[in-house]
Amino acid sequence: MTIGGPSDSSPSKNRRRDAARVKAKQLRVSQKKKDRRNKVFLQGGIGIAAIAIIVLVSVIIVNSIKPAGPGPKNMASDGALIGEGMVTVLTPALQPDAKPRPSEPDPTGAVANIRIYVDYLCPLCGDFEEANTEQIAQWVDSGAATVEIHPVAILTSKSAGTKYSLRAANAAACVANYSPDDFFDFSSALFVDQPEETSPGRSNDEIKAVVSKAGVSTARSSINSCIDDGTYESWVKAATDRALDGPIPNSSMKSIIGTPTILVNGKPYTGSLEDPKEFASFVQQALGETYSTSTPTPTPGG
């Protein structure tokens, strides 16, 4: 009889094999649970990250949209009205969503009421300004006329992304608010070496330099902060929309269709923007249609 070793089908080897299978199954189950747990954590992390991004974007958007604030003082008509002695008429600030209060024309008809809607990037506005500022200032200073200047921002998208038109109009509103009697000079100074349309225009620092060059001496620090903060940009946008939507007060015009829009006693001027004598004749004619008197009146070239 031959004595041999343990059989391959011995109970102890079977038990080891069964134990190995059970262990492998436990490992597979454990790994599946771990994979599911990691997937949940990953999805949750992505969800949290997505929520965080949404919250961050929302905060940025909310912070970038300035709530509409009051308009500037001394522009309750959406324009600054300058009268005899180059003195700006004082008015309270226009509250958000409030309707502007049109300036009252001279009831006697003896004073020419000149109204000008300007965009500080508009080259045609620059042409009219260069040709007519001096004589308009003479008429207003003497009491023969008033001039009401309405800054609008139609060309905001025409300055290589810098929104110069909007920023310049805001600066004019800042000066009207803090140093109203300097408004006319500052508005005129913005047309000196006027930036070209489609150029970046002036930076805020360069606009503040114009404030200085125009001789503005009152509340310069407040004006500079107002320019940097864009304090009245919401008001400028609203005033621009009102001018474009109309109607135009004290006039038969339904709305402005561009700049400059120039009215004298409510009548639109459509003549040459570069001929001061032609404009003076129009002003004299507009006055002659409403009165005849010996009081000082604008005269061609005067």
Side-chain angles (χ1 to χ4, degrees), residues 256-279:
I256 70 168
I257 57 174
T259 53
T261 293
I262 305 150
L263 302 108
V264 180
N265 289 2
K267 296 177 174 59
Y269 175 65
T270 58
S272 170
L273 298 175
E274 301 178 63
D275 186 346
K277 290 185 177 181
E278 185 174 346
F279 179 63

Side-chain angles (χ1 to χ4, degrees), residues 153-259:
I154 297 175
L155 300 177
T156 296
S157 64
K158 303 296 184 181
S159 54
T162 72
K163 299 182 179 180
Y164 174 70
S165 179
L166 177 63
R167 292 185 294 107
N170 171 75
C174 294
V175 172
N177 185 82
Y178 290 106
S179 189
D181 288 341
D182 290 317
F183 176 87
F184 183 89
D185 287 342
F186 174 69
S187 180
S188 297
L190 283 173
F191 288 109
V192 177
D193 297 324
Q194 181 189 21
E196 293 184 2
E197 190 175 340
T198 72
S199 76
R202 296 182 173 100
S203 67
N204 282 353
D205 285 342
E206 289 170 331
I207 292 175
K208 287 184 284 187
V210 176
V211 173
S212 177
K213 290 177 183 178
V216 180
S217 57
T218 304
R220 282 268 296 280
S221 176
S222 296
I223 291 171
N224 288 345
S225 296
C226 180
I227 290 171
D228 285 332
D229 295 341
T231 302
Y232 297 118
E233 288 185 0
S234 294
W235 171 83
V236 171
K237 292 176 183 177
T240 301
D241 289 341
R242 285 190 285 266
L244 291 171
D245 293 341
I248 303 302
N250 303 318
S251 169
S252 61
M253 288 188 68
K254 293 182 178 179
S255 65
I256 70 168
I257 57 174
T259 53

